[in-house]
Every structure is written in C-alpha cells, then in structure tokens.
Amino acid sequence: TFPVLLDPERKVYEDWGVRVFPSIIVLDDQGKAIVFHSLTQILTASRIPDMAEKNEFLIPLHTEKTYYSPAYFDEATTKPLMKIAVPIKDIRTGFFKGVLVLEMSLMSMREIIADISIGRNGITYIVNSSGKILVHSDPSVVRRNTYIKVPEKSEIMNGAQGREAFLTANRIQFNGYGSTLSVVTETPTIEVYSHIYRSVVIIGIIIILSLAGAVILGLAAIRKIAVPIESLAMTAKKISGDNVPQKVEIRRVDELNDLAEAYNIMTFRLTKTIDALEYERNFLNSAINALSHPFYIIDVKDYTIKLANSAACFGPLTKESKCYYITHKSDRPCNEKDH
C-alpha cells in the first residue's frame, strides 16, 4: 500500500486520488523503483521495474522539469493513461534525489466532460495528436476507436457525431517533449454563434482543473517523501564530518523506515568498530612506550620514521623525519656498506 496518499481517514481525498492516479512509483537517483503502488498490477520486490533508461526518469534527471508522457491505452483495462514524472530534490541542498512517477487516468475526466453543457446539443471530448478520441462522455465512442481531424483553428467540419459541426480544439503541449492532447468542443452549426464565448470558458476550466489536480497531488507526495530522504542525507553529511554517533528517526511503516533502520544499525556497528580500533591503537602505543630500549619503525621506501617510543628520544615525528638524518645526522641515505 501507499499510506502517504491513501489515508483511510480522508475518504474524499482517497477516492479522488485512486480514480485519477491508479499507479504511483517512486524512483531513487539511479532510476530504480523504491516504492510501487498499482491498482492493476501485483509486483514482487524482484519484479519492480527499473526505469533508469526511460524518459520518465531521464528527462526529470537532466532537465529538473516535470515530464508528461504521450497518452496511451492500458493493455489490461483499455483505459487511456498518461504518465507524469516529477523530479524530487533535497529542499535544502537542491540536489536531485529521485523521481515521482504518477500514472494519470484520463478517464477520470469523463465525468467532468459529461457534465459540461455546450448549448443544447454540443459535446466535449479529448483526442491525442493523431486525432483518436481518448475521453468522451459516451464510452462506446472510445471503444470504436473513433478518429477525427483535429482542426488547426475553429472551423466547420465533420465531427465525432458524423455530421458537420463547428469544432474548436485547444492543444495542450507538455514541456515540449512531444506529449500533446487536444480538448475539442463540437457544437451544431445552428448554435455555434451564440455559444462561442461559453465554450472558451469551459475549455479553460477543464485544463485548469486537470493540471491543478496533478500539481497539488504531486507537491503533497513530494513533501511527504522528500522530508525523510532529507533526514537521511543530513545524517550522512554529519557522519562524513567525523560525527559518527548519529541516528535517523523516521516514523513510518514503509521502505523508507526500513532504510532508516538499516542505516542506524550500520552507524552503530561503525561506532563499535572505531572504538575497538582506538582501544587497540592506544594499547599498542602504551606497550611500545613502556619499552626501556629504543624502538622505532622505518619505511623502506622513503626512509621516514613511522613510529618511535619515548626511549628513542626522537621527539615529535613528521613527514620529514628521515632515519639517516635523525640517527646519523646525514643529509642523504646511507650507502650500501654502511646501511
């Protein structure tokens, strides 16, 4: 399930969200799905899709803009769909974190279109770039694979009802990636001149409602997902600055919570390992310094003294502490016979 968007206490929000977005995928910054919710597919963890080479991931990654796919029909339900991919960024650093992919059902607009009144006999429908009707108040029109010629401008021509009418098309171009939909109004010629102004207003309302719904839901989902990811990123930044004992707290029951738990176990083990190494290092230094005879270690490559006890009386060691200078007061390494 996807509890962030499907909150059972918000029935109206749930029904609307499920009807409009039957599939939701969250991709990480490598294009792999970390959250998958679908009303039509059941996937195991091993079959969750990798979208690293698909436009739904690549375009938001490279442009940091929302991508809208061309409209298509679901093989299982035969319903028209469109994918909306929204980049997820860290709200503090602005770094790219992943992509939220929403599969939007265009059929969710059928009720809106059916309620629209264009004069006495006018209708409204949505077609793709090739003229195929995707959304119509009469489902049989879509099932018959009905095509029309999308008018370049308002003109009288044959419409979806098979007779001459006054057709007006409003094209929606999404971010210039080839995804185009047209909202077409068809009005009998006898009524057209008295309803031109009303048609334009209704088309604008349809476009605003459709895009506003997608934007609002996308922003809400991004905030719910980005905040926990930001917490993980901030903790990782603190650890990289030698501040290891950090704990991530994410009060959720999903994959992000599992990731936080694994992260906390890793930092706990790392702290224990660092403490053990520090203890061993201190123990070794104490043992060497307890020797009454001089003891030191020389690097055979560059003749530097890497370690020495207090009995050696070498003082503080640096990268310039060469054995030939300290032990023989020479400015060059010993020759073969003196070595």
Side-chain angles (χ1 to χ4, degrees), residues 315-333:
L317 297 176
T318 67
K319 294 181 179 180
E320 304 301 323
S321 299
K322 307 292 186 178
C323 66
Y324 49 81
Y325 178 78
I326 292 178
T327 59
H328 297 290
K329 304 302 179 182
S330 174
D331 58 357
R332 66 174 64 89

Side-chain angles (χ1 to χ4, degrees), residues 33 44 50 73 138 144 149 163 183 194 221 251 255 298 333:
T44 61
D50 183 345
F73 286 86
D138 182 3
R144 291 198 304 266
K149 180 182 178 181
R163 61 189 180 188
V183 181
S194 63
R251 298 178 181 178
E255 289 81 355
I298 302 173

Side-chain angles (χ1 to χ4, degrees), residues 55 59 67-71 82 128-130 172-181:
N55 286 337
I59 291 178
Y67 165 72
Y68 299 85
S69 76
M82 171 186 283
N128 62 14
S129 57
S130 61
I172 306 173
Q173 183 74 35
F174 299 96
N175 285 0
Y177 298 115
S179 303
T180 304
L181 294 179

